[in-house]
Amino acid sequence: MGIALSVNLNKIALIRNSREGNYPDLIEHARACVNHGANGITVHPRPDQRHVRPGDVLQLAELLKPLPEIEFNVEGNPFAAQRGDYPGLTSLAEATLPDQCTLVPDTDHQLTSDHGFDLTQTADKLLPVIEKLKSLKIRVSLFMDPIPEQIELAKQLGADRIELYTGPYAAAWNSSDPKTLENLYQQHRQAALLASELGLGVNAGHDLNLDNLPRFSTIPGLKEVSIGHALIVDAITLGLAEAVKAYKAILEATTRIQKTR
């Protein structure tokens, strides 16, 4: 299999939550993404429930249960406090048994994730979480910056994969500083090579889009990209089916090229 595309549905939920009712229907959009070629569905429930809610996670788990070829990835901060009917990430994972749980160090005041874990500070707290999830047969991925020492710690903690935080790479793509962009690409490339050498799978995500994904998808050992905001924005003009197909086409082209080398 080539590089998997997991579609993050948070923005669909955000639009729905701006009005009463269930429009747009998150579950039907997940079904459409799968029907049009997505390899997985990602959601990031938060205590403030500004987009995906706990009930959505339960419904998505039921939708995807009969589809073992489609990965269900639930991400979030395992240390975020319970609030209202938000039971906490670990409890949600235990109730839904997703294929993968991506642990992310975001906080309530952040609009979106903007850094990876500093495992020199959080390893002791993360270890029991990782062990719990793995006991449930859930693959564990840690959201990480491309820092070699941190990736080595991720391996020591027992993570199965890392998800490289690509925000700075995406920001540099739109700048007029090609040297910074190249340096960031090489940092991610070296981080991916190290992770693969250590036996860690490599995922990536954050602000990847149709412009910057072709280059980033050449990162060696890349198994999966999680894309939400840009894909949903593209769906406004292209339609959801064509947006999914456009991202898949990039990943499939990269896979074909790599196979010929």
Side-chain angles (χ1 to χ4, degrees):
M1 180 179 172
I3 305 166
L5 170 66
S6 188
V7 178
N8 188 315
L9 293 176
N10 286 354
K11 284 299 183 294
I12 298 295
L14 184 69
I15 296 170
R16 178 201 61 192
N17 294 353
S18 67
R19 296 284 182 93
E20 294 183 358
N22 188 40
Y23 185 73
D25 188 316
L26 185 77
I27 305 306
E28 288 308 308
H29 279 73
R31 196 190 312 274
C33 288
V34 169
N35 289 342
H36 294 301
N39 306 106
I41 296 296
T42 291
V43 289
H44 186 144
R46 295 170 56 112
D48 59 19
Q49 299 190 50
R50 68 170 179 254
H51 37 61
V52 171
R53 297 166 175 162
D56 297 324
V57 183
L58 294 169
Q59 289 184 60
L60 286 167
E62 287 301 310
L63 171 71
L64 299 176
K65 190 181 297 181
L67 303 172
E69 72 280 11
I70 304 299
E71 180 197 85
F72 187 29
N73 175 44
V74 178
E75 61 182 27
N77 188 339
F79 310 125
Q82 298 178 17
R83 186 188 306 174
D85 62 356
Y86 177 76
L89 182 70
T90 306
S91 294
L92 264 179
E94 190 168 6
T96 57
L97 299 177
D99 302 288
Q100 177 173 268
C101 196
T102 301
L103 307 183
V104 182
D106 65 335
T107 59
D108 282 359
H109 69 271
Q110 291 176 234
L111 284 175
T112 185
S113 308
D114 61 11
H115 63 281
F117 278 106
D118 178 359
L119 297 180
T120 65
Q121 302 296 317
T122 57
D124 290 344
K125 288 178 65 179
L126 276 172
L127 182 58
V129 176
I130 293 171
E131 290 177 341
K132 173 65 174 179
L133 294 171
K134 293 186 73 168
S135 75
L136 297 169
K137 310 270 189 245
I138 298 171
R139 183 198 309 137
V140 178
S141 179
L142 298 182
F143 196 64
M144 303 293 294
D145 299 308
I147 300 172
E149 295 79 9
Q150 295 284 350
I151 293 169
E152 290 172 352
L153 289 172
K155 175 63 177 179
Q156 292 172 24
L157 276 177
D160 301 296
R161 293 190 184 185
I162 59 168
E163 179 175 329
L164 290 171
Y165 167 53
T166 55
Y169 163 84
W173 187 270
N174 296 317
S175 75
S176 57
D177 185 359
K179 184 176 180 181
T180 296
L181 176 63
E182 183 61 24
N183 287 341
L184 285 164
Y185 173 83
Q186 293 299 333
Q187 286 175 25
H188 284 85
R189 187 176 190 279
Q190 293 305 314
L193 285 170
L194 173 61
S196 296
E197 289 172 5
L198 293 171
L200 290 166
V202 180
N203 300 339
H206 206 89
D207 291 337
L208 294 174
N209 59 33
L210 292 174
D211 294 325
N212 60 43
L213 180 60
R215 177 79 193 285
F216 194 88
S217 66
T218 64
I219 293 289
L222 187 61
K223 291 184 177 296
E224 172 187 311
V225 292
S226 176
I227 302 178
H229 181 82
L231 191 150
I232 300 306
V233 171
D234 290 327
I236 294 172
T237 52
L238 299 175
L240 183 60
E242 293 306 313
V244 172
K245 290 174 184 177
Y247 281 90
K248 280 285 293 180
I250 290 171
L251 300 176
E252 288 169 353
T254 298
T255 299
R256 286 196 300 271
I257 291 169
Q258 290 175 339
K259 283 183 177 178
T260 61
R261 289 177 177 171

